[in-house]
Amino acid sequence: EKEGVQIFCSTKAIEIKKEALSASLRTDGNFWIHARKILLTTHTPIGNDFLPIHLKQKAYRSYSLAAWMPKGSATHNIFLQRTNPGVEARLQKVRGSELGLGFHASRNRELVIIEGERHATGAETESHLNYFLRLETWAKTIFPKMGKTVYRWSRQTMETVDGLAYIGKAQADYEHLYIATGDGGNNWTNAALAAEIIRDSILGHKNKWAELY
């Protein structure tokens, strides 16, 4: 904002239009924003009339849970299940205020977060509770001091047909619209790649990863 950038939180983009010298975006307040460059960095980009990215991706759901652990009872690493590489666990330090708790509630403990049991969205073969129970059972084998589960949630990731994210121009012959989507859960890696690839494309610089993505 110090550089003159305006940030509008809680503003939905509901329509994209291609124009000769720019791209336009309509918000849920029925305002139009015109820009020389628009970046769509969403789960699945809008603009289905000319940008059918949703037909090139598949949705997957995975499950997560968190439980308290005595601080110092395990090392801060990422733990993977050998028989199922999609299952992982890690420790997370938290401040009591971050969870609406008092200082003493988190001073001597931290959260262990477990994620996995992925399947295609809509293709559940059993109760959601069973997915959480398997994660909890596995976690207790490597974290014997793990307490009762206090949080459960699920998330959805989008994967492309070849496993590589879609990063760069939305259409090869259109200079004003860029996308970054289909990260398949590799959020941090693809965020860094997208920042470099899209920046270089806008500035007219070559990027060694651009052709791949």
Side-chain angles (χ1 to χ4, degrees):
E1 290 179 309
K2 291 181 180 179
E3 301 297 329
V5 175
Q6 291 180 292
I7 300 174
F8 298 92
C9 298
S10 302
T11 302
K12 295 181 181 179
I14 60 176
E15 184 181 354
I16 295 285
K17 279 189 177 180
K18 294 169 58 178
E19 299 175 357
L21 300 178
S22 67
S24 298
L25 179 152
R26 184 166 66 91
T27 72
D28 56 347
N30 207 32
F31 292 98
W32 282 96
I33 299 172
H34 307 278
R36 285 176 293 178
K37 309 291 182 183
I38 289 180
L39 280 60
L40 300 176
T41 57
T42 61
H43 235 22
T44 296
I46 61 175
N48 292 341
D49 52 339
F50 64 89
L51 190 63
I53 295 297
H54 63 289
L55 299 178
K56 301 179 181 180
Q57 297 190 109
K58 187 173 182 179
Y60 288 88
R61 183 169 299 282
S62 59
Y63 300 83
S64 301
L65 58 87
W68 287 112
M69 286 264 294
K71 189 171 289 185
S73 59
T75 57
H76 279 258
N77 293 310
I78 294 178
F79 301 86
L80 303 177
Q81 187 180 29
R82 291 181 60 186
T83 56
N84 185 353
V87 177
E88 63 179 57
R90 68 184 187 277
L91 294 180
Q92 177 65 48
K93 295 180 180 179
V94 294
R95 298 184 181 93
S97 58
E98 293 175 343
L99 300 176
L101 305 172
F103 172 75
H104 295 288
S106 61
R107 184 175 58 176
N108 297 315
R109 57 183 181 169
E110 51 198 352
L111 286 172
V112 57
I113 299 174
I114 304 97
E115 180 181 353
E117 292 292 331
R118 194 184 74 147
H119 60 74
T121 300
E124 296 89 341
T125 58
E126 53 191 311
S127 166
H128 289 180
L129 180 60
N130 290 338
Y131 295 111
F132 288 117
L133 289 175
R134 279 196 294 272
L135 288 175
E136 194 173 73
T137 299
W138 170 74
K140 287 181 177 179
T141 64
I142 57 174
F143 301 113
K145 294 185 178 181
M146 186 178 100
K148 183 181 178 181
T149 296
V150 289
Y151 302 103
R152 292 189 181 96
W153 68 96
S154 65
R155 68 167 181 150
Q156 189 167 277
T157 56
M158 305 300 291
E159 292 200 6
T160 62
V161 293
D162 62 0
L164 289 176
Y166 295 133
I167 300 173
K169 293 178 182 177
Q171 294 176 323
D173 60 348
Y174 189 62
E175 300 287 336
H176 308 295
L177 189 61
Y178 292 80
I179 61 171
T181 186
D183 61 59
N186 297 312
N187 313 68
W188 294 108
T189 300
N190 287 321
L193 277 169
E196 292 189 8
I197 292 171
I198 294 175
R199 174 204 62 194
D200 289 345
S201 180
I202 291 174
L203 296 176
H205 299 162
K206 288 186 178 181
N207 187 292
K208 63 180 180 180
W209 302 109
E211 184 176 353
L212 179 63
Y213 286 90

XYZ file of all heavy atoms in Angstrom, residues 125-204:
639
model
N -15.915 -43.869 0.154
C -16.391 -45.248 0.234
C -16.851 -45.608 1.644
O -17.306 -46.725 1.879
C -15.279 -46.224 -0.189
O -14.129 -46.026 0.650
C -14.884 -45.994 -1.643
N -16.717 -44.666 2.573
C -17.111 -44.911 3.961
C -17.352 -43.582 4.655
O -17.200 -42.503 4.063
C -16.020 -45.716 4.674
C -14.634 -45.092 4.564
C -13.556 -46.035 5.051
O -13.735 -46.586 6.154
O -12.552 -46.213 4.342
N -17.702 -43.652 5.925
C -17.961 -42.454 6.706
C -16.703 -41.603 6.827
O -15.587 -42.126 6.947
C -18.449 -42.845 8.099
O -18.398 -41.751 8.982
N -16.878 -40.287 6.806
C -15.741 -39.383 6.992
C -15.029 -39.649 8.307
O -13.806 -39.488 8.409
C -16.207 -37.933 6.936
C -16.609 -37.488 5.569
N -17.054 -36.214 5.296
C -16.621 -38.136 4.381
C -17.333 -36.097 4.018
N -17.087 -37.253 3.438
N -15.768 -40.051 9.313
C -15.171 -40.305 10.623
C -14.102 -41.386 10.539
O -13.084 -41.310 11.232
C -16.263 -40.711 11.618
C -15.791 -41.010 13.049
C -15.122 -39.781 13.656
C -16.966 -41.457 13.911
N -14.302 -42.396 9.694
C -13.320 -43.470 9.569
C -11.981 -42.967 9.045
O -10.921 -43.454 9.447
C -13.848 -44.565 8.641
C -14.984 -45.342 9.271
O -15.129 -45.365 10.494
N -15.814 -45.969 8.447
N -12.000 -41.996 8.150
C -10.750 -41.433 7.641
C -9.976 -40.760 8.773
O -8.755 -40.913 8.908
C -11.037 -40.424 6.527
C -11.667 -41.016 5.285
C -12.984 -40.728 4.943
C -10.938 -41.863 4.465
C -13.566 -41.275 3.801
C -11.499 -42.408 3.319
C -12.826 -42.107 2.998
O -13.385 -42.651 1.866
N -10.702 -40.008 9.614
C -10.059 -39.353 10.749
C -9.520 -40.370 11.752
O -8.429 -40.212 12.300
C -11.051 -38.418 11.445
C -11.370 -37.170 10.678
C -12.664 -36.930 10.238
C -10.393 -36.225 10.410
C -12.976 -35.762 9.536
C -10.688 -35.067 9.711
C -11.982 -34.838 9.270
N -10.280 -41.431 12.002
C -9.860 -42.438 12.984
C -8.581 -43.140 12.550
O -7.704 -43.425 13.380
C -10.975 -43.456 13.200
C -12.204 -42.952 13.957
C -13.286 -44.024 14.007
C -11.825 -42.505 15.361
N -8.422 -43.424 11.265
C -7.186 -44.065 10.788
C -5.991 -43.130 10.946
O -4.896 -43.574 11.314
C -7.348 -44.513 9.337
C -8.081 -45.834 9.189
C -7.881 -46.440 7.812
N -8.503 -45.620 6.772
C -9.765 -45.752 6.388
N -10.551 -46.642 6.965
N -10.264 -44.992 5.431
N -6.190 -41.856 10.663
C -5.106 -40.894 10.865
C -4.707 -40.822 12.331
O -3.517 -40.816 12.676
C -5.547 -39.501 10.386
C -5.671 -39.280 8.880
C -6.233 -37.890 8.603
C -4.327 -39.444 8.179
N -5.694 -40.804 13.194
C -5.437 -40.717 14.629
C -4.708 -41.961 15.132
O -3.756 -41.866 15.929
C -6.762 -40.545 15.360
C -6.637 -40.115 16.796
C -8.000 -39.800 17.394
O -8.753 -40.768 17.655
O -8.313 -38.620 17.582
N -5.114 -43.124 14.668
C -4.475 -44.378 15.090
C -3.012 -44.412 14.678
O -2.135 -44.796 15.456
C -5.215 -45.587 14.482
O -6.569 -45.581 14.952
C -4.544 -46.885 14.876
N -2.728 -44.005 13.425
C -1.338 -43.987 12.963
C -0.512 -42.985 13.758
O 0.614 -43.276 14.175
C -1.285 -43.630 11.473
C 0.108 -43.370 11.003
C 1.090 -44.299 10.773
C 0.698 -42.093 10.715
N 2.248 -43.675 10.363
C 2.038 -42.329 10.328
C 0.230 -40.788 10.754
C 2.908 -41.288 9.959
C 1.093 -39.752 10.407
C 2.401 -40.000 10.013
N -1.072 -41.791 13.992
C -0.328 -40.746 14.698
C 0.071 -41.192 16.102
O 1.178 -40.900 16.575
C -1.158 -39.473 14.760
N -0.793 -41.935 16.772
C -0.491 -42.355 18.138
C 0.629 -43.386 18.196
O 1.242 -43.573 19.250
C -1.761 -42.902 18.796
C -2.753 -41.806 19.159
C -3.997 -42.366 19.840
C -4.938 -41.242 20.261
N -6.172 -41.741 20.905
N 0.916 -44.053 17.077
C 2.027 -45.010 17.061
C 3.375 -44.298 17.057
O 4.379 -44.869 17.493
C 1.944 -45.939 15.838
O 2.099 -45.160 14.639
C 0.625 -46.679 15.802
N 3.423 -43.063 16.547
C 4.696 -42.333 16.531
C 4.721 -41.186 17.539
O 5.789 -40.655 17.840
C 5.021 -41.791 15.124
C 3.898 -40.890 14.606
C 5.266 -42.919 14.157
C 4.242 -40.217 13.295
N 3.533 -40.809 18.047
C 3.446 -39.782 19.085
C 2.665 -40.353 20.270
O 1.488 -40.040 20.471
C 2.733 -38.529 18.566
C 3.390 -37.888 17.387
C 2.751 -37.887 16.147
C 4.640 -37.294 17.500
C 3.344 -37.296 15.055
C 5.247 -36.693 16.403
C 4.600 -36.700 15.170
N 3.285 -41.226 21.064
C 2.562 -41.875 22.158
C 2.025 -40.902 23.208
O 1.097 -41.241 23.949
C 3.609 -42.817 22.772
C 4.926 -42.292 22.301
C 4.687 -41.679 20.971
N 2.571 -39.693 23.268
C 2.100 -38.706 24.238
C 1.039 -37.780 23.654
O 0.642 -36.803 24.294
C 3.281 -37.890 24.763
C 4.265 -38.712 25.581
C 5.355 -37.838 26.174
C 6.314 -38.663 27.024
N 7.379 -37.812 27.628
N 0.579 -38.098 22.455
C -0.447 -37.275 21.824
C -1.742 -37.329 22.624
O -2.189 -38.394 23.031
C -0.694 -37.775 20.394
C -1.642 -36.909 19.590
S -1.838 -37.524 17.894
C -3.394 -38.385 18.033
N -2.338 -36.175 22.843
C -3.578 -36.106 23.595
C -4.799 -36.290 22.698
O -4.700 -36.722 21.543
N -5.934 -35.922 23.230
C -7.195 -36.054 22.512
C -7.246 -35.081 21.327
O -6.766 -33.960 21.408
C -8.355 -35.766 23.471
C -9.735 -35.934 22.858
C -10.820 -35.612 23.876
C -12.205 -35.729 23.259
N -13.277 -35.401 24.238
N -7.804 -35.531 20.223
C -7.964 -34.678 19.050
C -8.877 -33.494 19.393
O -9.966 -33.677 19.932
C -8.560 -35.463 17.872
O -7.639 -36.495 17.492
C -8.814 -34.560 16.679
N -8.415 -32.282 19.053
C -9.197 -31.085 19.381
C -9.721 -30.365 18.133
O -10.633 -29.544 18.230
C -8.366 -30.107 20.239
C -8.176 -30.665 21.635
C -7.019 -29.803 19.597
N -9.137 -30.660 16.965
C -9.606 -30.041 15.724
C -9.639 -31.084 14.620
O -8.748 -31.938 14.532
C -8.687 -28.888 15.282
C -8.543 -27.795 16.304
C -7.396 -27.697 17.098
C -9.548 -26.845 16.483
C -7.258 -26.693 18.038
C -9.425 -25.835 17.421
C -8.271 -25.765 18.195
O -8.145 -24.779 19.128
N -10.660 -31.021 13.783
C -10.762 -31.851 12.585
C -11.242 -30.995 11.427
O -12.120 -30.153 11.607
C -11.745 -33.008 12.774
C -11.340 -34.080 13.758
C -12.304 -35.258 13.679
N -11.971 -36.305 14.624
C -12.531 -36.431 15.821
N -13.447 -35.535 16.204
N -12.195 -37.408 16.641
N -10.682 -31.204 10.260
C -11.153 -30.490 9.075
C -10.738 -31.258 7.820
O -9.937 -32.193 7.891
C -10.603 -29.064 9.040
C -9.123 -28.947 8.824
C -8.468 -28.742 7.646
C -8.089 -29.013 9.832
N -7.113 -28.673 7.839
C -6.850 -28.834 9.175
C -8.102 -29.203 11.219
C -5.635 -28.848 9.855
C -6.886 -29.212 11.890
C -5.681 -29.040 11.220
N -11.298 -30.896 6.712
C -10.900 -31.490 5.444
C -10.632 -30.369 4.452
O -11.085 -29.232 4.641
C -11.983 -32.430 4.898
O -13.155 -31.710 4.576
N -9.902 -30.670 3.412
C -9.605 -29.665 2.394
C -9.653 -30.307 1.017
O -9.585 -31.532 0.884
C -8.244 -29.022 2.618
C -7.059 -29.963 2.399
C -5.770 -29.193 2.331
N -4.629 -30.069 2.098
C -3.525 -29.709 1.450
N -3.430 -28.483 0.969
N -2.527 -30.551 1.288
N -9.749 -29.471 0.032
C -9.825 -29.949 -1.345
C -8.672 -29.365 -2.146
O -8.373 -28.182 -2.040
C -11.160 -29.525 -1.964
C -11.447 -30.152 -3.315
C -12.894 -29.961 -3.719
O -13.765 -30.712 -3.311
N -13.169 -28.944 -4.507
N -7.994 -30.195 -2.919
C -6.923 -29.736 -3.795
C -7.278 -30.082 -5.232
O -8.017 -31.036 -5.493
C -5.575 -30.393 -3.440
O -5.722 -31.824 -3.487
C -5.118 -29.998 -2.056
N -6.755 -29.288 -6.141
C -6.999 -29.506 -7.563
C -5.722 -30.023 -8.211
O -4.641 -29.470 -8.010
C -7.430 -28.203 -8.236
C -8.644 -27.539 -7.593
S -10.129 -28.555 -7.613
C -10.490 -28.561 -9.366
N -5.843 -31.099 -8.985
C -4.691 -31.658 -9.674
C -4.925 -31.665 -11.171
O -6.034 -31.926 -11.648
C -4.408 -33.082 -9.177
C -3.934 -33.114 -7.740
C -3.205 -34.401 -7.409
O -2.973 -35.218 -8.333
O -2.876 -34.592 -6.227
N -3.880 -31.386 -11.915
C -3.969 -31.360 -13.367
C -3.784 -32.763 -13.929
O -3.406 -33.696 -13.214
C -2.891 -30.433 -13.942
O -1.590 -30.960 -13.594
C -3.014 -29.030 -13.365
N -4.023 -32.907 -15.216
C -3.951 -34.239 -15.829
C -2.537 -34.803 -15.822
O -2.353 -36.029 -15.806
C -4.500 -34.205 -17.269
C -5.993 -33.928 -17.266
C -3.779 -33.147 -18.117
N -1.517 -33.941 -15.849
C -0.139 -34.439 -15.865
C 0.596 -34.194 -14.550
O 1.786 -34.482 -14.436
C 0.650 -33.817 -17.020
C 0.765 -32.303 -16.915
O 0.240 -31.734 -15.942
O 1.369 -31.692 -17.814
N -0.102 -33.646 -13.549
C 0.511 -33.445 -12.249
C 1.273 -32.145 -12.086
O 1.726 -31.823 -10.991
N 1.441 -31.394 -13.170
C 2.130 -30.105 -13.099
C 1.102 -28.974 -13.057
O 0.112 -29.005 -13.794
C 3.052 -29.909 -14.308
C 4.312 -30.761 -14.361
C 5.053 -30.519 -15.674
C 5.235 -30.461 -13.185
N 1.354 -27.997 -12.228
C 0.432 -26.866 -12.118
C 0.371 -26.094 -13.437
O 1.287 -26.152 -14.258
C 0.891 -25.943 -11.003
N -0.737 -25.394 -13.640
C -0.876 -24.494 -14.784
C -0.445 -23.102 -14.337
O -1.105 -22.473 -13.505
C -2.325 -24.458 -15.283
C -2.819 -25.765 -15.840
C -4.061 -26.275 -15.471
C -2.052 -26.507 -16.739
C -4.526 -27.482 -15.973
C -2.511 -27.709 -17.244
C -3.741 -28.193 -16.861
O -4.203 -29.384 -17.356
N 0.658 -22.613 -14.878
C 1.215 -21.325 -14.488
C 1.596 -20.555 -15.738
O 2.316 -21.067 -16.602
C 2.458 -21.488 -13.588
C 2.100 -22.244 -12.299
C 3.068 -20.130 -13.250
C 3.311 -22.602 -11.443
N 1.138 -19.316 -15.845
C 1.511 -18.468 -16.972
C 0.299 -17.860 -17.642
O -0.743 -17.650 -17.008
N 0.433 -17.572 -18.929
C -0.679 -16.977 -19.663
C -1.864 -17.938 -19.701
O -1.701 -19.132 -19.928
C -0.256 -16.644 -21.091
C 0.784 -15.542 -21.194
C 1.168 -15.314 -22.659
C 2.248 -14.257 -22.782
N 2.686 -14.082 -24.200
N -3.053 -17.382 -19.501
C -4.250 -18.214 -19.563
C -4.451 -18.774 -20.967
O -4.907 -19.898 -21.144
C -5.470 -17.402 -19.140
N -4.105 -17.979 -21.960
C -4.144 -18.395 -23.359
C -2.888 -17.871 -24.034
O -2.489 -16.722 -23.810
C -5.398 -17.862 -24.057
C -6.688 -18.458 -23.502
C -7.928 -17.856 -24.123
O -7.968 -16.669 -24.412
N -8.948 -18.668 -24.326
N -2.274 -18.695 -24.851
C -0.968 -18.353 -25.418
C -0.975 -17.055 -26.215
O 0.027 -16.331 -26.243
C -0.477 -19.501 -26.295
N -2.101 -16.739 -26.848
C -2.159 -15.559 -27.706
C -2.799 -14.348 -27.034
O -3.150 -13.374 -27.710
C -2.912 -15.893 -29.001
C -4.347 -16.346 -28.737
O -4.674 -16.613 -27.558
O -5.134 -16.440 -29.689
N -2.951 -14.400 -25.726
C -3.587 -13.279 -25.017
C -2.661 -12.806 -23.909
O -2.303 -13.573 -23.010
C -4.943 -13.704 -24.458
C -5.756 -12.562 -23.902
C -6.165 -11.515 -24.729
C -6.112 -12.521 -22.564
C -6.916 -10.457 -24.227
C -6.867 -11.472 -22.052
C -7.258 -10.439 -22.899
O -8.000 -9.392 -22.396
N -2.269 -11.529 -23.932
C -1.222 -10.999 -23.068
C -1.712 -10.445 -21.734
O -0.906 -10.052 -20.900
C -0.483 -9.864 -23.807
C 0.186 -10.281 -25.105
C 1.434 -11.112 -24.857
O 2.012 -10.973 -23.757
O 1.822 -11.884 -25.746
N -3.009 -10.406 -21.515
C -3.521 -9.646 -20.380
C -4.068 -10.490 -19.234
O -4.508 -9.936 -18.225
C -4.616 -8.683 -20.862
C -4.189 -7.827 -22.001
N -3.186 -6.887 -21.899
C -4.604 -7.794 -23.306
C -3.007 -6.289 -23.066
N -3.852 -6.824 -23.941
N -4.069 -11.804 -19.369
C -4.655 -12.663 -18.344
C -3.718 -13.829 -18.029
O -3.289 -14.554 -18.930
C -6.010 -13.197 -18.822
C -6.873 -13.930 -17.806
C -7.250 -13.023 -16.641
C -8.137 -14.479 -18.480
N -3.409 -13.990 -16.737
C -2.497 -15.043 -16.280
C -3.200 -15.898 -15.225
O -4.087 -15.431 -14.516
C -1.235 -14.426 -15.672
C -0.353 -13.723 -16.674
C -0.652 -12.439 -17.105
C 0.772 -14.348 -17.197
C 0.150 -11.780 -18.025
C 1.583 -13.699 -18.116
C 1.265 -12.420 -18.524
O 2.066 -11.779 -19.439
N -2.750 -17.152 -15.119
C -3.325 -18.048 -14.116
C -2.218 -18.777 -13.353
O -1.088 -18.927 -13.836
C -4.268 -19.107 -14.741
C -3.494 -19.998 -15.730
C -5.462 -18.451 -15.394
C -4.301 -21.185 -16.213
N -2.560 -19.208 -12.157
C -1.732 -20.125 -11.369
C -2.713 -21.014 -10.626
O -3.405 -20.564 -9.716
C -0.826 -19.368 -10.409
N -2.805 -22.275 -11.021
C -3.804 -23.169 -10.434
C -3.329 -24.615 -10.582
O -2.360 -24.904 -11.270
C -5.170 -22.976 -11.130
O -6.159 -23.755 -10.444
C -5.133 -23.405 -12.579
N -4.026 -25.522 -9.910
C -3.690 -26.941 -10.024
C -2.421 -27.321 -9.306
O -1.639 -28.126 -9.806
N -2.207 -26.770 -8.099
C -0.945 -27.038 -7.395
C -0.884 -28.428 -6.782
O 0.181 -28.883 -6.380
C -0.706 -25.991 -6.315
C -1.789 -25.958 -5.252
O -2.008 -26.995 -4.609
O -2.414 -24.912 -5.058
N -2.013 -29.135 -6.698
C -1.996 -30.500 -6.182
C -1.511 -30.618 -4.755
O -1.035 -31.665 -4.328
N -1.610 -29.534 -3.990
C -1.148 -29.566 -2.600
C 0.258 -29.039 -2.415
O 0.700 -28.819 -1.283
N 0.990 -28.817 -3.504
C 2.350 -28.283 -3.412
C 2.306 -26.750 -3.415
O 2.883 -26.080 -4.277
C 3.199 -28.796 -4.578
C 3.342 -30.296 -4.543
O 3.652 -30.879 -3.508
N 3.094 -30.944 -5.667
N 1.641 -26.208 -2.418
C 1.333 -24.781 -2.410
C 2.568 -23.895 -2.401
O 2.683 -22.970 -3.211
C 0.467 -24.445 -1.187
C -0.684 -25.399 -1.009
O -0.484 -26.574 -0.701
N -1.893 -24.925 -1.167
N 3.483 -24.158 -1.463
C 4.636 -23.275 -1.314
C 5.532 -23.326 -2.539
O 6.013 -22.287 -3.023
C 5.424 -23.658 -0.062
C 4.669 -23.427 1.207
C 4.125 -24.379 2.029
C 4.342 -22.172 1.797
N 3.488 -23.794 3.089
C 3.609 -22.434 2.979
C 4.603 -20.848 1.447
C 3.132 -21.422 3.802
C 4.135 -19.842 2.275
C 3.413 -20.141 3.443
N 5.774 -24.522 -3.046
C 6.640 -24.664 -4.218
C 6.059 -23.940 -5.423
O 6.742 -23.159 -6.100
C 6.834 -26.154 -4.561
O 7.432 -26.819 -3.440
C 7.724 -26.319 -5.781
N 4.785 -24.187 -5.698
C 4.177 -23.591 -6.882
C 3.920 -22.098 -6.720
O 3.898 -21.363 -7.716
C 2.880 -24.324 -7.228
C 3.145 -25.692 -7.819
O 4.065 -25.868 -8.605
N 2.359 -26.680 -7.444
N 3.748 -21.626 -5.506
C 3.601 -20.184 -5.287
C 4.879 -19.451 -5.678
O 4.839 -18.404 -6.336
C 3.241 -19.899 -3.830
N 6.019 -20.020 -5.266
C 7.302 -19.396 -5.612
C 7.551 -19.450 -7.119
O 7.996 -18.471 -7.728
C 8.436 -20.091 -4.861
N 7.234 -20.603 -7.726
C 7.404 -20.730 -9.175
C 6.500 -19.765 -9.927
O 6.932 -19.104 -10.881
C 7.092 -22.166 -9.608
C 8.205 -23.190 -9.457
C 7.655 -24.596 -9.669
C 9.333 -22.907 -10.447
N 5.253 -19.677 -9.507
C 4.299 -18.801 -10.189
C 4.751 -17.347 -10.114
O 4.637 -16.600 -11.099
C 2.914 -18.954 -9.578
N 5.252 -16.925 -8.956
C 5.704 -15.541 -8.808
C 6.821 -15.229 -9.802
O 6.827 -14.160 -10.430
C 6.179 -15.303 -7.377
N 7.754 -16.151 -9.973
C 8.876 -15.923 -10.884
C 8.455 -16.007 -12.346
O 8.823 -15.161 -13.169
C 9.992 -16.929 -10.598
C 10.676 -16.723 -9.254
C 11.914 -17.593 -9.126
O 12.311 -18.230 -10.130
O 12.490 -17.626 -8.031
N 7.676 -17.035 -12.676
C 7.286 -17.250 -14.075
C 6.403 -16.109 -14.585
O 6.630 -15.552 -15.667
C 6.569 -18.603 -14.240
C 7.556 -19.754 -13.999
C 5.942 -18.727 -15.621
C 6.900 -21.113 -13.937
N 5.388 -15.736 -13.798
C 4.465 -14.688 -14.237
C 5.155 -13.325 -14.251
O 4.962 -12.528 -15.172
C 3.210 -14.672 -13.353
C 2.425 -15.986 -13.561
C 2.326 -13.480 -13.672
C 1.227 -16.143 -12.651
N 5.985 -13.058 -13.254
C 6.741 -11.792 -13.238
C 7.584 -11.650 -14.491
O 7.566 -10.612 -15.167
C 7.638 -11.740 -12.002
C 8.579 -10.535 -11.946
C 9.785 -10.830 -11.076
N 10.577 -11.926 -11.607
C 11.530 -12.569 -10.909
N 11.762 -12.223 -9.660
N 12.214 -13.551 -11.469
N 8.333 -12.705 -14.822
C 9.217 -12.637 -15.987
C 8.432 -12.506 -17.282
O 8.851 -11.811 -18.211
C 10.116 -13.877 -16.036
C 11.172 -13.861 -14.939
O 11.387 -12.786 -14.344
O 11.770 -14.925 -14.685
N 7.287 -13.169 -17.348
C 6.464 -13.072 -18.557
C 5.952 -11.649 -18.755
O 5.992 -11.104 -19.865
C 5.294 -14.046 -18.479
O 4.481 -13.961 -19.627
N 5.486 -11.019 -17.687
C 4.974 -9.652 -17.775
C 6.082 -8.678 -18.160
O 5.880 -7.757 -18.961
C 4.318 -9.236 -16.447
C 3.019 -10.035 -16.231
C 4.028 -7.737 -16.416
C 2.378 -9.802 -14.881
N 7.285 -8.896 -17.619
C 8.400 -7.991 -17.880
C 9.138 -8.313 -19.182
O 10.042 -7.585 -19.579
C 9.399 -8.041 -16.712
C 8.868 -7.537 -15.356
C 9.909 -7.736 -14.277
C 8.464 -6.073 -15.450
N 8.728 -9.405 -19.830
C 9.371 -9.773 -21.083
C 10.705 -10.469 -20.923
O 11.529 -10.480 -21.845
